[in-house]
Amino acid sequence: MKTHTCCCDDYDSNSLTVEEALQRIDQDLQPIADEQQLPIRSALGLVLAEDILSKIEVPPYDNSAMDGYAVLGADLPTNGQAQLKMVGTSFAGQPYNETIQAGECARIFTGAVMPMGADTVIMQEHVERQGDRIIIGAEHKKGQHVRPVGEDITIGQVVLKAGKQLLPADIGLLASLGVPEVKVKRRLRVAFFSTGDELCSVGEVLQPGQIYDSNRYSLYGMLTRLGIDLIDMGVVRDTPEEVERAFLSAARSHDAIITSGGVSVGDADYVTDTLRRLGQVNFWKIAMKPGKPLTYGKIQNAIFFGLPGNPVSAMVTFYQFVQPALQNMMGQTKRIPIRLTVPCLSRLKKHPGRMEFQRGILENDDQGRLVVRLTGKQGSGILTSMSQANCFIILPRECGNVDEGCEVVVEPFEGLV
Ligand code: AMP
Ligand code: MG
């Protein structure tokens, strides 16, 4: 990547790097101990607390992968043609229970049990049918189009490991093994609120000098998608008393508290000081943009994240720090987010000194090549940039401006399952 240094850099010796902050959070956290037994549908999105070993083989019997005819491999002609006599039919769910002898075949459908003796399936399109006889050519291989018993899963095989978050494919897989219930980590309980005298909630009439509170809504969305039990504590006013009261009430019965706003060093920023008084501050500043002020610590048994108030900063810091922290507490095995290196079609402005998370649109160009471009204005208050983006463009701390056409690292927002 081409970089240029600039006179007005973004260095701040009090800031932790993104990597140091992640490491501190990681060292500080432990998965919750409580487990519960749940029906598999209710366990969707939760984290397995046990390894799942299969008690059956999948598929449970040799079966046909095609609609066609079940034959003996020994009857396949090596050249010319062979004629076989049809002696019965095996439907899915209605097997043919006789043994196929030399010179015989059975009509068979996809998923039907292979009749005894037969070991090969000829697709119906490759057969000439004459009454109860079929004629086959020499192009077939013994064993073809048969799905053997245990092909997917054998008895005793570990199919899902403790620490796996159960996604739609996983609950389908559990069902395919006949497993009705699983042991999972209990849902995390998280309280969240916004701080700020200027904030007005949706449904209220905006007064002069007010803005609508958006962070509580994006936070609600991000937390809900993680499968978390939420308490929305609303908007807390910028006074030390109100902030303290909210902290104490949130800490009582929650695993984590997440706030936004009030973490800078302004006169009305009480979050970090209140945490210092009632609990412990681990760190409060990170060399990143957006999201420089970010308070992390503990209050009683709850971990605490004080996110910055700017809407984009709140979301970026959530995805980079809060989400992995909560997943760790949920008992989830650590996952390294997928990052890709792709050419960037936009010129990117940046000063060295902070890691930046610019918002990008990752797409295929007209030659099918994966490329990224900037969403437009990158201010930390431009929430439309998060809504339009489908990835972060991650620029390392030391990097300066990036010229059009240079390669950059991107982190896509979401996976398919
Ligand atoms: P603060 O971190 O409290 O200094 O806030 C930084 C900026 O973010 C200010 O412009 C606030 O008005 C804005 N802000 C703070 N909280 C919210 C919120 N919940 N929703 C939308 N904007 C907010
Ligand atoms: Mg504020």
Side-chain angles (χ1 to χ4, degrees):
M1 187 184 306
K2 283 188 215 153
T3 61
H4 309 280
T5 46
C6 174
C7 54
C8 39
D9 66 33
D10 267 10
Y11 287 102
D12 176 347
S13 56
N14 288 322
S15 296
L16 290 185
T17 64
V18 170
E19 294 80 6
E20 284 165 347
L22 283 171
Q23 212 174 359
R24 283 216 199 172
I25 296 171
D26 210 41
Q27 282 164 358
D28 195 44
L29 291 183
Q30 265 162 21
I32 50 164
D34 303 351
E35 297 168 357
Q36 56 186 157
Q37 189 83 10
L38 284 182
I40 55 176
R41 285 188 186 182
S42 313
L44 180 65
L46 295 179
V47 177
L48 264 182
E50 58 179 348
D51 287 347
I52 303 291
L53 278 67
S54 181
K55 293 198 172 81
I56 61 169
E57 293 192 283
V58 180
Y61 41 79
D62 292 349
N63 68 96
S64 178
M66 294 286 172
D67 292 337
Y69 296 84
V71 305
L72 278 62
D75 281 346
L76 295 174
T78 47
N79 51 50
Q81 293 185 324
Q83 207 182 76
L84 301 171
K85 182 173 190 293
M86 205 177 96
V87 294
T89 302
S90 183
F91 294 98
Q94 251 175 283
Y96 175 65
N97 290 322
E98 308 294 319
T99 302
I100 306 290
Q101 309 290 343
E104 295 179 348
C105 70
R107 184 83 171 103
I108 195 162
F109 296 97
T110 306
V113 180
M114 287 294 288
M116 279 173 296
D119 57 10
T120 302
V121 171
I122 314 281
M123 283 167 71
Q124 61 193 21
E125 294 84 346
H126 298 166
V127 159
E128 193 189 319
R129 177 103 180 242
Q130 289 179 349
D132 66 347
R133 295 187 175 270
I134 62 167
I135 296 166
I136 58 173
E139 69 276 21
H140 305 290
K141 280 205 183 75
K142 183 179 155 108
Q144 72 183 19
H145 307 315
V146 175
R147 301 189 286 215
V149 55
E151 177 186 46
D152 187 5
I153 299 164
T154 53
I155 291 175
Q157 186 180 328
V158 177
V159 282
L160 292 169
K161 282 210 166 122
K164 173 89 171 70
Q165 186 187 30
L166 295 172
L167 298 179
D170 302 317
I171 62 169
L173 185 58
L174 288 165
S176 79
L177 303 177
V179 175
E181 294 185 338
V182 284
K183 203 193 283 174
V184 289
K185 293 281 186 183
R186 74 153 163 83
R187 264 177 216 284
L188 286 190
R189 289 188 285 265
V190 173
F192 67 107
F193 57 87
S194 298
T195 69
D197 285 342
E198 75 283 31
L199 300 177
C200 164
S201 294
V202 291
E204 291 168 13
V205 179
L206 207 58
Q207 301 298 325
Q210 286 194 324
I211 55 165
Y212 283 115
D213 175 1
S214 61
N215 290 344
R216 256 167 61 231
Y217 297 84
S218 25
L219 266 175
Y220 168 87
M222 295 186 290
L223 289 165
T224 301
R225 292 250 296 240
L226 286 178
I228 278 170
D229 270 347
L230 297 179
I231 284 282
D232 178 351
M233 295 177 61
V235 175
V236 171
R237 297 296 156 201
D238 286 323
T239 68
E241 297 75 26
E242 289 253 334
V243 172
E244 174 168 329
R245 192 172 324 131
F247 273 34
L248 291 175
S249 140
R252 216 170 296 134
S253 53
H254 293 93
D255 303 300
I257 305 167
I258 301 169
T259 68
S260 75
V263 287
S264 324
V265 283
D267 288 348
D269 292 330
Y270 298 112
V271 169
T272 311
D273 279 348
T274 308
L275 182 65
R276 199 167 282 127
R277 221 162 356 94
L278 303 179
Q280 303 98 45
V281 174
N282 189 316
F283 61 78
W284 56 280
K285 222 196 274 185
I286 300 183
M288 69 184 281
K289 186 180 173 182
K292 183 173 170 181
L294 169 68
T295 299
Y296 171 70
K298 244 189 196 131
I299 170 165
Q300 297 168 19
N301 291 323
I303 65 153
F304 181 92
F305 278 102
L307 308 184
N310 277 304
V312 179
S313 312
M315 290 194 79
V316 171
T317 48
F318 183 94
Y319 282 128
Q320 295 303 320
F321 300 100
V322 183
Q323 180 160 306
L326 295 177
Q327 285 168 333
N328 180 338
M329 290 174 80
M330 286 163 77
Q332 203 169 324
T333 308
K334 200 170 174 166
R335 278 185 317 165
I336 297 171
I338 291 176
R339 290 185 176 177
L340 310 165
T341 302
V342 299
C344 181
L345 303 185
S346 317
R347 182 171 192 276
L348 308 179
K349 281 194 268 178
K350 182 181 181 298
H351 298 312
R354 291 199 264 166
M355 183 183 256
E356 287 202 13
F357 295 83
Q358 302 201 6
R359 275 75 67 207
I361 299 170
L362 186 64
E363 60 195 358
N364 291 112
D365 68 7
D366 46 17
Q367 286 136 53
R369 201 174 53 136
L370 208 53
V371 293
V372 69
R373 61 191 164 86
L374 208 59
T375 50
K377 287 206 192 96
Q378 293 293 304
S380 55
I382 314 271
L383 192 50
T384 47
S385 72
M386 277 303 290
S387 161
Q388 288 160 8
N390 62 10
C391 70
F392 288 124
I393 302 174
I394 303 180
L395 303 173
R397 199 160 64 106
E398 298 309 325
C399 130
N401 293 333
V402 176
D403 287 334
E404 218 177 290
C406 288
E407 297 211 306
V408 291
V409 172
V410 300
E411 186 176 294
F413 279 175
E414 60 191 71
L416 194 60
V417 290

